[in-house]
Amino acid sequence: MSQPTPAPDLSDLATDPFEVARAAAAVIASRTGVDNHDVALVLGSGWGQTGDLIGKTVATIANADVPGFHAAAVAGHSGSIRSVAIGDTGRRALVYGTRTHFYEGRGVRAVVHAVRTAKAAGCQTIVLTNGCGGLNPDWAPGTPVLIRDHINLTAASPLEGATFVDLTDLYSARLRALAHEVDPDLDEGVYVQFRGPQYETPAEVQMAKVVGGDLVGMSTSLEAIAARHVGLEVLGISLVTNAAAGISASPLSHEEVLEAGRQASGRCGRLLADVVTRIAAS
C-alpha cells in the first residue's frame, strides 16, 4: 500500500499555494476515481449531517492523506474529505468535514487551501457554512441565516501582492435566490469575522453591530475572498448557535455551540442538501 503524500509546509513563502492545491486535487481525483467535482462544501459547526443527506458517499479520504490538509483541530468537526453523489443529478460534491481556522496559526494560505483545492478539483461553486453568534435577538439558537456580505476584521487577506479583486457581489444573489426557493423564510445578514480563538467581548459585539454586522464568528470571510479570486461562485450560510456576547445574559461556551449544532443538525442538513441539489441542477 502506498504511503500518503506528505503535506507541504504552506508557511514556506517559496511554495506556490496553487501548485499545492493542484497536487491535492490530483490526490482527490485518484482516490475518488473522478476527475472533476462540481460543488464544494465546507461544513462548519452544526452542518456535519449535510453530507449524508446530499446523496451517497462514494469515497472518503483522510485529510492527512491529501497535500496541504491537516487533521481537525476543533471538537465537532470531521477530519476527512468526502466525494458525494448529489442525488440523481449525475454531479459530485466535494465535502470538507472541517476547515483550518485562522487562529490555529498555520497562516492564511492554509486557511484557504481547501477553497483553492476545490477550484483545482473542477468545482464551480462553493458553499461555506459556519456556526456563529447572532446579534438579532429574534434569531434563536438553531436559526440558519444566509450571508449577504461580510466584514473582515482579521487584519489579513489571502491575496498576495498587487492582486485586486472586486468583492461587490461576493455572496452570489443567484445562489441566495435558490436558497430562498427552498426556504422562503430564510433571513439574510452581514457576517463579521474576528481572529479568535477567544469569543468576542460585549463591546466588540456592539462595535460589529454599529458597523453593520448581524453575525459574528471566526471563519468564512478569508475563504470567501479566496473563492472569488479563483472564480468560484459563493454561497454562505451561518447557523446561529448562540446569542453573541452581551445580547444574552448567558455565558458563552463551545459546548453550547456543539449542542445547538446537534439540535439543528437535521433541519440544517436537509436545508443545505436541498439547496445543493438545486445548485447542481441549475
Side-chain angles (χ1 to χ4, degrees):
M1 182 176 179
S2 61
Q3 294 297 314
T5 304
D9 181 2
L10 296 186
S11 65
D12 182 356
L13 294 180
T15 302
D16 179 355
F18 297 97
E19 181 180 334
V20 180
R22 288 190 290 271
V27 170
I28 290 170
S30 175
R31 296 291 187 90
T32 62
V34 177
D35 289 336
N36 290 289
H37 285 74
D38 301 283
V39 181
L41 290 87
V42 179
L43 301 183
S45 299
W47 297 96
Q49 193 179 21
T50 303
D52 297 329
L53 297 173
I54 291 174
K56 180 181 178 181
T57 296
V58 181
T60 301
I61 312 167
N63 280 10
D65 292 349
V66 184
F69 285 85
H70 305 275
V74 180
H77 292 247
S78 166
S80 63
I81 301 168
R82 298 162 64 182
S83 176
V84 179
I86 306 174
D88 58 1
T89 64
R91 298 181 179 273
R92 288 282 189 98
L94 190 62
V95 181
Y96 297 112
T98 190
R99 56 163 42 96
T100 297
H101 295 83
F102 189 44
Y103 58 70
E104 293 175 39
R106 299 182 184 274
V108 182
R109 286 183 175 184
V111 171
V112 303
H113 177 56
V115 172
R116 289 168 172 163
T117 297
K119 179 63 176 180
C123 295
Q124 299 300 312
T125 305
I126 190 164
V127 181
L128 302 172
T129 71
N130 61 60
C132 72
L135 276 63
N136 185 336
D138 293 333
W139 293 340
T143 302
V145 180
L146 296 175
I147 300 173
R148 71 167 181 271
D149 205 345
H150 79 232
I151 299 171
N152 173 18
L153 295 183
T154 66
S157 172
L159 307 180
E160 301 175 22
T163 305
F164 306 112
V165 177
D166 180 17
L167 303 180
T168 303
D169 57 349
L170 173 55
Y171 296 92
S172 169
R174 183 185 79 86
L175 296 182
R176 283 186 282 128
L178 289 178
H180 281 299
E181 289 177 7
V182 173
D183 185 350
D185 294 328
L186 280 172
D187 280 335
E188 298 190 1
V190 175
Y191 181 86
V192 182
Q193 181 177 354
F194 287 82
R195 292 176 67 100
Q198 72 281 350
Y199 289 111
E200 303 78 21
T201 68
E204 288 170 338
V205 169
Q206 288 304 310
M207 177 191 70
K209 186 175 182 179
V210 167
V211 299
D214 303 292
L215 310 156
V216 293
M218 307 173 195
S219 67
T220 304
S221 297
L222 296 174
E223 296 162 320
I225 295 168
R228 165 50 60 90
H229 176 227
V230 297
L232 290 169
E233 191 174 13
V234 180
L235 177 67
I237 311 181
S238 291
L239 170 64
V240 176
T241 55
N242 55 273
I247 303 299
S248 166
S250 301
L252 304 180
S253 72
H254 189 58
E255 290 71 24
E256 178 187 19
V257 171
L258 295 177
E259 179 57 28
R262 283 190 289 268
Q263 294 290 333
S265 61
R267 177 194 176 192
C268 289
R270 287 189 295 273
L271 167 67
L272 193 51
D274 288 346
V275 171
V276 170
T277 300
R278 285 184 180 249
I279 291 172
S282 65

